[in-house]
Amino acid sequence: MKKKRGLEVSPFWFLALHLSLVVNSIQGVFSKLAGKQETMSLKWILCFGMMFLTMLVFALAWQQVLKHMSLTFAFTNKPITIIWGLVWGITVFGEHVSPNMVIGSIVILIGIMVGVSGGASDGKKTGRENGEVS
Amino acid sequence: MFAGLGKYLLIWIISVFISSIAQVLLKLEANKPHASRLKEYLNPCVAGAYGIFFVSVFMTYYALKYVPLTYSPIVEPLSYIFVPVIGVLLLKEKISKRRILGMAIMIAGIVIFSLGK
C-alpha cells in the first residue's frame, strides 16, 4: 500500500476527536470552579456534578473516537487541550498569560499540524474503519 | 534529600506510565467488534483501564505532596513518548517520521508553555 499523506481519518471523525478534546478541557473549568465554592454548598455540588458529567461524556466519546483512528494519531492531537485550557483560563477566569504560554501554544500547534499531516502509517491500517478488526 | 525526592519523582513517572498503558488497553478494546454498544464499555479491558486511571490520579496526588510542581514540564510530556512507544510495541501501529517530528515539537511546546507558569 502506498504511503498516504494528510489526515488518516475522515473529517467527521477528526471533528469528533476535537470535540471530545474540547469536552476534556472543559472538565478542568468545572474542577476549578468547584475549588472556588464553599465545600458541600449547592454550587460546589453542581460544579462537581458537571465535572463528572464532562468526564463521563469524554470517556464515552474517546472510546468511539479510538475505533476510527490509531492511538498515536489521537494522541498527536491531545495537547490541544493545553491550548483550550489557556483559552478557558483567559475567558472564564481572567487569568494572566505569560509570553512563554503564548510561544508554547504556538509551538504545540505547529507540532500538532506537523504530526497530524504525517499521514497514515506506512501501509498499516490503523482502526476498525480501515478494517483492523481482530 | 535527592534520593527521597527521586523516589516520589519515580512514583509520578510510573503514574504517567501506567495511564499510558491504560490508553493502550482502551485502544485494544476499541479495535474489537462488540455485540452491542454497551459491551464496548462494560468489559474487563475498559474497566481495567479506568481502574488504572483512578490509581494513577492518586499516585500523582501522592507524588505531588513531595515533588515540586515545577517538575511537571519534565514528567507530564512523558505520556507523549510512552503512548506512541507502547502503541508501536503492543498495538503494532506504525508511526511516520513526520509524526515523530510533530510529537517532538509538541513536547518542546509543552515544556516552553509550562516553564512560563
Side-chain angles (χ1 to χ4, degrees):
Chain A
M1 187 178 143
K2 202 177 166 187
K3 190 176 174 177
K4 278 197 283 178
R5 278 265 168 225
L7 288 177
E8 70 169 54
V9 293
S10 67
F12 175 82
W13 284 107
F14 187 64
L15 186 67
L17 166 69
H18 276 269
L19 281 175
S20 71
L21 293 174
V22 169
V23 172
N24 187 219
S25 70
I26 290 172
Q27 189 185 314
V29 175
F30 288 115
S31 175
K32 194 166 172 65
L33 280 173
K36 286 172 175 278
Q37 312 304 325
E38 195 185 327
T39 310
M40 293 312 286
S41 67
L42 186 65
K43 281 184 180 175
W44 185 86
I45 293 168
L46 195 68
C47 289
F48 253 87
M50 288 304 291
M51 192 190 83
F52 281 109
L53 184 67
T54 49
M55 203 186 285
L56 179 72
V57 171
F58 171 71
L60 294 175
W62 188 245
Q63 198 63 12
Q64 293 305 312
V65 156
L66 281 183
K67 278 163 52 177
H68 299 276
M69 62 193 71
S70 67
L71 186 60
T72 51
F73 181 85
F75 243 71
T76 305
N77 289 273
K78 208 161 185 282
I80 198 81
T81 53
I82 296 171
I83 298 168
W84 279 116
L86 186 73
V87 171
W88 306 137
I90 297 166
T91 56
V92 181
F93 302 105
E95 287 176 355
H96 166 74
V97 177
S98 71
N100 271 46
M101 288 172 159
V102 177
I103 296 166
S105 297
I106 294 166
V107 175
I108 290 169
L109 271 178
I110 293 169
I112 291 173
M113 282 189 277
V114 171
V116 164
S117 64
S121 40
D122 313 332
K124 174 73 182 175
K125 290 167 182 174
T126 49
R128 284 176 63 183
E129 194 173 56
N130 292 326
E132 190 187 47
V133 179
S134 56
Chain B
M1 187 189 160
F2 179 76
L5 184 69
K7 189 176 98 178
Y8 298 108
L9 197 57
L10 185 66
I11 290 172
W12 194 0
I13 293 170
I14 291 170
S15 156
V16 174
F17 181 73
I18 63 168
S19 58
S20 303
I21 298 265
Q23 286 289 352
V24 174
L25 287 177
L26 290 181
K27 176 60 180 161
L28 270 173
E29 205 56 40
N31 283 347
K32 292 180 189 170
H34 293 88
S36 70
R37 192 143 294 212
L38 194 64
K39 285 185 179 170
E40 289 178 6
Y41 298 98
L42 299 181
N43 59 67
C45 216
V46 170
Y50 281 99
I52 290 172
F53 284 136
F54 191 71
V55 171
S56 155
V57 166
F58 279 95
M59 284 177 77
T60 303
Y61 170 75
Y62 179 66
L64 279 174
K65 282 169 90 170
Y66 305 97
V67 182
L69 193 61
T70 44
Y71 279 71
S72 78
I74 305 159
V75 180
E76 292 298 338
L78 286 175
S79 65
Y80 296 99
I81 297 171
F82 289 150
V83 169
V85 169
I86 302 168
V88 167
L89 292 176
L90 293 182
L91 301 169
K92 308 293 177 202
E93 287 185 354
K94 295 272 176 81
I95 185 164
S96 66
K97 283 176 185 164
R98 198 178 165 90
R99 189 155 295 162
I100 293 171
L101 175 67
M103 286 186 152
I105 296 170
M106 277 177 349
I107 291 168
I110 294 167
V111 172
I112 294 168
F113 186 102
S114 307
L115 290 175
K117 281 183 180 173

